[in-house]
Structures are given as C-alpha cells and as structure tokens.
Amino acid sequence: MQVEIYNGRGRIHLTGKLVAPIHSGGRDGWWDLTNLRVDRNRITAKYRLNGLNSPRVDIDRRSGRIAIDGIEHFRGSCDIGDWSDGRRF
C-alpha cells in the first residue's frame, strides 16, 4: 500500500485483500482520501471502496504505524520518511 498527501489532498494505493471484489473502481488502484486530517502527530482519513465499505485510515506519524479499519483490517508500519524531527514522515 502507498499513501500520498499533497496540497491538502490525499490518495491511497491498494492491492491484495484490501481491494474488495466489488468496489467503486478507484483510478489505477488509487482511491481518493476524504475527511483528511493531518496534524503534527497523526494523519486520519477515509476512502470509499463501495457503498457498504468506507475504511478509516489512521497513521501515527511518530511511530510510523498505520491502521486501516473497514470490512477488512490492516496493521503495518511505514518505511520511509524524514526522521530528523522525530516523525517517520
């Protein structure tokens, strides 16, 4: 998975079991993030896979942990970033 945030907007790239068999499409595997909130320590958002599934994304910017909660659940950690100020990205 990949998350991009730029100019107050964001999107998420999904693969595997995170993409429901019946989904609203996205664009080339990318879904727009809505209700995006970015603060010093946390990034939260939602995306719409289909009419019944709008998973919530929660990223802890200090630890790099990411959680996605919808019909499917995912937990992981982010690998890259500028850690000079104590945040992973």
Side-chain angles (χ1 to χ4, degrees):
M1 139 192 356
Q2 183 176 353
V3 176
E4 290 184 354
I5 298 172
Y6 50 93
N7 297 327
R9 299 176 60 188
R11 64 186 190 158
I12 188 167
H13 186 268
L14 303 169
T15 60
K17 73 176 190 171
L18 290 174
V19 180
I22 299 173
H23 56 80
S24 61
R27 286 184 308 276
D28 297 322
W30 289 94
W31 278 262
D32 291 332
L33 294 173
T34 60
N35 299 331
L36 178 63
R37 292 191 179 123
V38 179
D39 66 32
R40 181 164 174 77
N41 298 315
R42 187 167 299 292
I43 298 169
T44 60
K46 292 182 104 176
Y47 60 95
R48 184 177 180 272
L49 271 178
N50 58 43
L52 299 174
N53 193 7
S54 293
R56 178 177 167 79
V57 179
D58 188 341
I59 303 171
D60 182 319
R61 295 182 75 186
R62 293 207 178 267
S63 69
R65 300 293 298 164
I66 183 169
I68 296 179
D69 290 309
I71 292 175
E72 294 289 338
H73 301 281
F74 173 84
R75 301 289 184 269
S77 61
C78 302
D79 295 343
I80 62 173
D82 176 5
W83 300 290
S84 63
D85 67 355
R87 294 187 307 230
R88 302 258 327 206
F89 53 100

